[in-house]
Each structure stands twice: as structure tokens, then as C-alpha cells.
Amino acid sequence: MKRIINELTVQLRIAVFASMVFMAVGSAQAQSARDYISIVGSSTVYPFATVVAERFGRSSSFRTPTIESTGSGGGLKLFCSGVGVQYPDITNSSRRIRASELSDCTSNGIDEVVEVKIGYDGIVLANDKSAPVYDVTPADIYLALAKNVPAPDGSNAVVPNPYEFWSEINPDLPNARIEVLGPPPTSGTRDAFLELVMEPGCGAFAVIKALSGDARDAVCQEMREDGPFIEAGENDNLIVQKLQANPRSLGIFGFSFLDQNADKVRGSLVNGIEPTFDSIADGSYPVSRPLYFYVKGAHVDFIPGMREFLGEFMSEAATGEYGYLSDKGLIPLPDDERAAVETSVRELKPLTSADFSH
Amino acid sequence: MNNPHPAGLKDLVARQIPRRYRAEWLFEKAGLGALVVGLGFLAFFFYTLVMNGYTAFWQSRIALDVPLTAAVIDPDGTRDVDLIGQANYQGLLRDALRTRFPEVTARGELRSLFALLSPGASFELRDRVLTDPSVIGSAVEFWAVADDDVDMLIKGHSSRDVPESDRRLSDQQLAWIDALQADGAVEKRFNRAFFTSGDSRDPELAGIWSATVGSFFMLLVTLVLSFPLGVATAIYLEEFAARSRWTDLIEVNINNLAAVPSIVFGLLGLALFINLFGMPRSAPLVGGLVLSLMTLPVIIIASRAALTAVPPSIREAALGVGASKMQMVLHHVLPLAMPGMLTGAIIGMARALGESAPLLMIGMVAFIVDTPQSPVDPATALPVQVYLWADSPERAFVERTSAAILVLLVFLLLMNAVAVILRKRFEQRF
């Protein structure tokens, strides 16, 4: 019996040894230089960054960069974990890096974070083509979707949202039940929607102007949970399909999905402006946000192809006014702004805390 | 002997009989109903998948007479592969389009004319010339891959009856396509690229090959690690370990582990393999390690069940004729238990193949174009590819998502079929 157990432990030892060799091989590979660019970050920037990466891989002698779709916050966290081949070189973000995230980066030894603004993305409120066109203001959207709103009787109180029909909010709007499909709180689109629509919408009311801090956020940033606002998941294609199935509902998603499905759904007017490529580009359509990516300066000369990839991304052919990214729905930067970004990328100008003062 | 039943009981039973029959009938029909509902959902699922997905196996192509001018492709006549590979094939394709539509001259119009072809068409033309350089200098009929918007129109997935501004294709582009179709120069052909290429942001060029290879490497690592470990654990627990409080505790933990949500294993993999051991992100090696952790309990449980199914008489007979315990296990018990163990392993692997949540944490939810050459190259997996395509704005990805799901289902079906066949062929009943 004892002999058998001894034999078995020998086998066990061999198995443990084999798996350790296996792991050693893995880590040895990791420590050797990485010959491709590793990109993480926002799922909103993902469709654009991937196009550039693919073209770059096809047209250059470098390997195609890998791009993970981790979300803006997750991407920045990975990006700021440290310097070295096991950490990503670039992170995409559908919002600007926060001062706290930048200081995280600095404390992990990342001194040079280069900010690259690549263009704009519009957020649209759309519905099926067969349904009436909505012409709304941010205040209308706020009243329809916030959890708590100023009392409709004009008194100085904030009450749970009583509105059930669009026509109750604004007599010019259709007499239809409020039913809006939107992104969940984990989504960058949701953050941008709160900042660009709900905030200005709620700021229009005198009652709220008196509030500040958390009390104001509770009124301005909380979406209602009693049915009219439906969290439809991160998948924008799904929202488009649901709008077709239910023409009475509206959906909130990125402009590129409207651009691809313009034969099926229509964007609502906001402040009387239709969401089109041009109206977002010239800034007249109010609900648009800049998209960024952040580059680790220390990696640029160590990972093969970084400079060339940045060059491809900032080229006229990619992010220019008629570049291939605009075909994919990215709203390009105005020429002078793009030139400024291009210069700061070429010089690898790092972000400093002073950039957050304004 | 007296009648053992009180007089009332017979009546009672007689009265109850119809009710019992009715209850039994209802019970049976409820079971059947549940089955029908389940099958109905399955049928609906397959129906929508096939209806959405089958068109992705075909790809619209446009026939062009492409003059393979020697002066453009190989100006020096050296037939140097590097030089030929770098020639301007896109220019040749564009020239061919201009020859076909000589009336188009304005710059903007030319742009929208060239947009009918996929950016991948020039790579295919290059490959064709490289495989047979003798065509240089002649004009060939080349079936160029059409752009995804054209493809969607031809397949009827996008409508032409809406105002021009709401369409991806302009009236003029529609007229060109109609003219080409009238010539018989537009055809749907088998979409080989779908099976042979990696991911792409151009739906017409996107394929599942790199994801399939990624899944293969991952499953290989999983099998190599979890099968021997799982079987060894099961043998030890069943054949050698004395039943004690410790083995009970281990058993409870193994059963528990089998039910842990898979994302937890992903977090473990991130903390252990990537952060602690410094293994590369997005690598099938790490994916395989994580999936091994997930599959191990399943294999252990199945292997133990297979071992307990071997009757004790076999063991006693072996020991009785003088076999050592190890000989008894290796020569007699293991061969009889193997079919059951393999079935368990295959079912565990099939589950691992369909897993995507733990891969998110270790960086395999990623855009990977290049086919991985080894388990440490960046790679993605089939279910992740499905997820990424489902989230892409281009309409042509809708059918490709369904098609990729169909391929994944075929793999799962094959694996489960192998498990059934193994069981049927080698199983011994006692």
C-alpha cells in the first residue's frame, strides 16, 4: 500500500513539475518583447480604432494591434497599472481621463500620458420611421426620464416623476406613452447622456438651480425606475431591433448606429436640430461628445510600430474630414483642431494636472 | 378468513379510480406539454438563426475585366515576388471600373463608384496574380468582392424603397448596380473568406478562422491539463483515499466548484496567471488555464461516477489473482471507466468551448486579425467573436453573427455526438 502511494506521489510530482514548466514557458514568453501594440478601452471607440488597426496591419510590415473592448473605465485602470510589456500601450476612452485616474497613472510610474482626441460621436434619441417625429428639448427629455422632477403644479417641490404621456410634458409632442430604451449605468453612453442631456435639461428649472452637490445630482442624474425608462443592455443593435418591433418606443444610442440604420429608424430633433453628420460636426446638434485615446509615452520607442500607428490614426486618410473613419460614423475634428492634436501627438506632449484646471 | 377490508373502503377506492386516472392523464400531458414548449423554443431559436444566418455563407461579387498591365505589376519583368506583391492592384481595379462606366468622370462620383468594391478586393487580386504570375500582361475576368452595403442590397437585407438620404447607397450607385446586374456581372458566390480569414471591420472580409484557431488552442490546453488532473484526482478519491471527514470536505468543495459562475474563474485567472505569473494578456494559454479550472470539477465528478459504476467484483477478482492495487486500477478499472470519463471530459470541453465570460477578464474579448500561431499569441474565441459582431453597427454583421453561432453550434453538436458514440460503443453494462 505504501509503495503504491509512493508511486502515485512520484506521478504527482511529475504532473506538478510538468505544469510548472508549462507556466514557466508562458511567463518567459511574456517577459520577452511584445511585437504588437496592445490597446484596451471604450466599446464606443472600439469600432473606429479597429478599422485603423486593421488598415495599419494590412498596409505596414507590423503586426495588427490587438484591441480589447473593456469599457472606458476598465481600460484606463489597466492602462494605468504600470509600465512594461504586460501593460497595454494605448487605451480608448469615450470620456476624458479624470484627474484621479491620471494621478493613479503617475503613482504607478507612468509619467507621460499623451492625450489624443480623435473626433466626436453624437448620441441620438431615435424611433421607428412609421412613428411621428419628436421635436424635444433637453428639458422635455429630463421631465420624461428623471426619477424625481419639479412638481408640475409650479410649486417649489421636487416630486416623483408623474408624467406618463409625452403630451403631458409638452402639448406639441405626440399623445403617446413615454417608453424609452437606453443604456445601462455601466455604459459610457449613459454617462455622456446624463452629462449632455439630463444635466442641461434639469438646469433649466428654477427649483433645481437652488440645489447643489449631492441633492442636485440626485434630482438631475437619477433615471426613473417605474417603467418608462427601460435599460436595454449595452447592445445598440438590439435597441434598433426593438424600436422596429415597437414603433411607440424611443431609443438612446450612438450616432453610428443611426447612420447604419437610417432606412429603419429616425433620430428625434433636439432643440429643433436633426442629428446628421453635418449638424454634429458643426456643433449645432447639442448632444455630442469627444472621443479620445491615451498613449503611454514610455512605450512609444519600445513597442514596434507605435509611431507608425499613431501616424496612421492621425492621417488625413483616417481621421480627416473625408477619411475612412467618417464612413464608419465618426464625426471628424475641425481642421485646425486636428492639426493641433496631430502636432501634440508627434511631439508626444504629455498631459499634466494643469490640463484639468479649466 | 374474514374480509380484511372494511365495507366502505371498496367504494372509496372505486370512487377514487376515475380521479386517479384523470390525474395520471393530466400528469402525463403536462410532461408532454413541457417538452413541446421546450422544443418549440429550440425550433424558434434554430429557425431565426438559420433564417438570419444562411445568407452569410454567400457573398456578392462583381465581375470586372481587369487588364493586368505588366507595366503596373512588374515593370522590370523580373517576376520578383516582393515587387509583384507591392503593385497597385487597387488602381487596376479602379481602372477596370472606369472602363466599365466611362461616363463617370467627376471626382465625387468616382469615389462613390469605387465604393461599390470592398477594400479587400485588391488583396484577392494580388493573391491571384501571385499564385499564377503567368497572367501578368493579359486581361482576366475577376470577381471582385462587393462592399457590404452592396451585398446587403443584393441579398435584400436593406431596402431601396426609402428616400435617398436614408439609404447607405445613393440613387446613382443603385443605377450602377442595376446596370451590372443586367449584364450578369453580379453574382452571389460561396463565401470562403468567412471560413478562412480573421476578424475584420469590413463585414465582407470578416471570418471566423482566427477565432476558431484560438478556441482550438484553448481547448487543447484545457484538455491537456484538466483531463489527466481530473482523472488522477478521481482515481485517488475513489480507489485510494480512505473515507474520512477530509475526503467528504473535498467532495463537497469539488461539487461546489462545479457550480461557481464562470466569470469568477476569469477573475482568478487575471489575478493568478496574468498579474502574479506575468503571462501575456489575450493568450489562449491563459484562457486554457482558466477554462481548465472551470472544467476540472466537471471531469472529476464524471470520472468518479464512471469509477463507481465499475462493479467491485472486478476489483476483487484482480486483487484475488495477485494484482497490485495499481495494476488493478490501470489494467482493469480504468479501461472500463474510460468511456464514461471521456464522455464527461467531452461534455466539459463543450461547455468550455461555449464560454465567453471568463475570457473578458483575461483580455480575450479583443479584435484579433492575425491567426494565432501558438498558444501564447493573442487570440480570441468563437463565442467572443459572436459577441463582438453582435455589437457592431454594420448591418452585414447581423447575418454573420448568426452564421458564426451556427458554426459554433455545429462544433458543439459534433463534440456531443462524439461523446454519445463513445458511450454507445465502449460502454459495458454489468
Side-chain angles (χ1 to χ4, degrees), chain B residues 333-416:
Chain B
V333 178
L334 203 55
L336 289 174
M338 211 30 124
M341 292 177 166
L342 283 175
T343 307
I346 291 172
I347 289 170
M349 302 298 280
R351 194 185 142 197
L353 173 64
E355 202 54 73
S356 64
L359 305 181
L360 178 74
M361 309 309 301
I362 56 169
M364 289 186 77
V365 179
F367 179 71
I368 310 281
V369 178
D370 304 333
T371 308
Q373 304 295 322
S374 78
V376 287
D377 278 346
T380 184
L382 271 176
V384 173
Q385 194 66 77
V386 169
Y387 166 75
L388 287 173
W389 283 353
D391 215 13
S392 301
E394 288 80 9
R395 182 161 313 161
F397 274 120
V398 174
E399 56 167 30
R400 263 148 245 264
T401 308
S402 297
I405 296 172
L406 285 175
V407 173
L408 184 64
L409 284 177
V410 167
F411 280 128
L412 289 173
L413 216 62
L414 280 177
M415 288 174 81
N416 287 326

Side-chain angles (χ1 to χ4, degrees), chain A:
Chain A
M1 177 77 194
K2 201 165 182 192
R3 199 173 59 86
I4 295 160
I5 292 188
N6 275 342
E7 270 181 55
L8 198 82
T9 44
V10 170
Q11 284 185 333
L12 207 71
R13 261 183 238 151
I14 294 172
V16 170
F17 179 72
S19 52
M20 277 168 73
V21 168
F22 214 163
M23 289 174 185
V25 170
S27 23
Q29 286 276 358
Q31 276 142 21
S32 68
R34 175 156 51 78
D35 62 349
Y36 56 89
I37 304 171
S38 163
I39 303 173
V40 295
S42 163
S43 54
T44 312
V45 185
Y46 174 89
F48 307 123
T50 44
V51 177
V52 181
E54 190 180 346
R55 302 242 174 180
F56 173 73
R58 281 236 172 88
S59 61
S60 74
S61 57
F62 300 102
R63 288 179 64 181
T64 312
T66 65
I67 304 182
E68 288 177 40
S69 174
T70 62
S72 302
L76 280 161
K77 201 172 160 208
L78 281 169
F79 177 81
C80 287
S81 305
V83 178
V85 284
Q86 66 270 45
Y87 302 107
D89 312 310
I90 293 175
T91 185
N92 299 320
S93 183
S94 60
R95 58 169 171 80
R96 201 162 187 223
I97 190 171
R98 298 194 175 115
S100 59
E101 286 162 337
L102 188 64
S103 66
D104 260 4
C105 261
T106 322
S107 62
N108 285 327
I110 305 158
D111 300 325
E112 289 171 29
V113 176
V114 183
E115 180 178 78
V116 186
K117 193 175 181 183
I118 59 170
Y120 293 92
D121 178 38
I123 297 175
V124 299
L125 184 71
N127 61 355
D128 189 72
K129 287 243 134 155
S130 63
V133 191
Y134 283 71
D135 181 357
V136 290
T137 62
D140 294 336
I141 301 176
Y142 166 73
L143 287 181
L145 299 180
K147 190 175 179 186
N148 297 300
V149 293
D153 57 12
S155 69
N156 230 353
V158 174
V159 296
N161 197 328
Y163 299 106
E164 278 181 32
F165 290 86
W166 285 101
S167 50
E168 294 169 5
I169 296 169
N170 180 344
D172 297 337
L173 289 172
N175 183 19
R177 201 168 269 285
I178 301 170
E179 202 179 318
V180 179
L181 304 160
T186 46
S187 156
T189 309
R190 168 82 164 254
D191 289 343
F193 181 76
L194 289 178
E195 182 194 338
L196 296 166
V197 181
M198 299 296 277
E199 270 292 337
C202 114
F205 296 91
V207 188
I208 293 163
K209 280 186 187 137
L211 299 170
S212 65
D214 284 351
R216 185 192 153 101
D217 283 353
V219 182
C220 291
Q221 306 235 345
E222 266 183 60
M223 304 297 277
R224 65 198 288 185
E225 288 154 2
D226 55 345
F229 179 71
I230 304 150
E231 282 176 9
E234 294 261 17
N235 190 329
D236 290 356
N237 272 327
L238 204 64
I239 299 186
V240 173
Q241 283 170 21
K242 283 183 178 164
L243 293 184
Q244 283 176 273
N246 181 5
R248 279 166 316 191
S249 55
L250 291 108
I252 299 165
F253 45 84
F255 173 73
S256 46
F257 286 83
L258 176 66
D259 194 37
Q260 286 282 339
N261 295 291
D263 58 337
K264 295 178 177 168
V265 292
R266 168 179 41 214
S268 306
L269 281 58
V270 177
N271 290 341
I273 309 281
E274 204 191 334
T276 61
F277 198 86
D278 295 325
S279 68
I280 299 173
D282 66 20
S284 56
Y285 180 75
V287 195
S288 73
R289 55 173 162 174
L291 301 177
Y292 301 90
F293 67 83
Y294 293 91
V295 184
K296 219 172 267 178
H299 283 198
V300 169
D301 290 321
F302 288 95
I303 303 293
M306 284 273 283
R307 266 181 207 281
E308 290 80 358
F309 178 72
L310 294 177
E312 170 75 32
F313 218 124
M314 293 321 294
S315 70
E316 182 79 42
T319 40
E321 196 179 349
Y322 300 105
Y324 53 75
L325 287 183
S326 67
D327 287 343
K328 292 281 177 188
L330 180 78
I331 317 289
L333 298 174
D335 278 342
D336 47 343
E337 203 178 349
R338 200 172 69 84
V341 174
E342 207 185 336
T343 321
S344 79
V345 172
R346 208 173 325 108
E347 293 165 358
L348 296 176
K349 199 170 131 252
L351 267 183
T352 59
S353 49
D355 290 314
F356 293 93
S357 52
H358 46 268

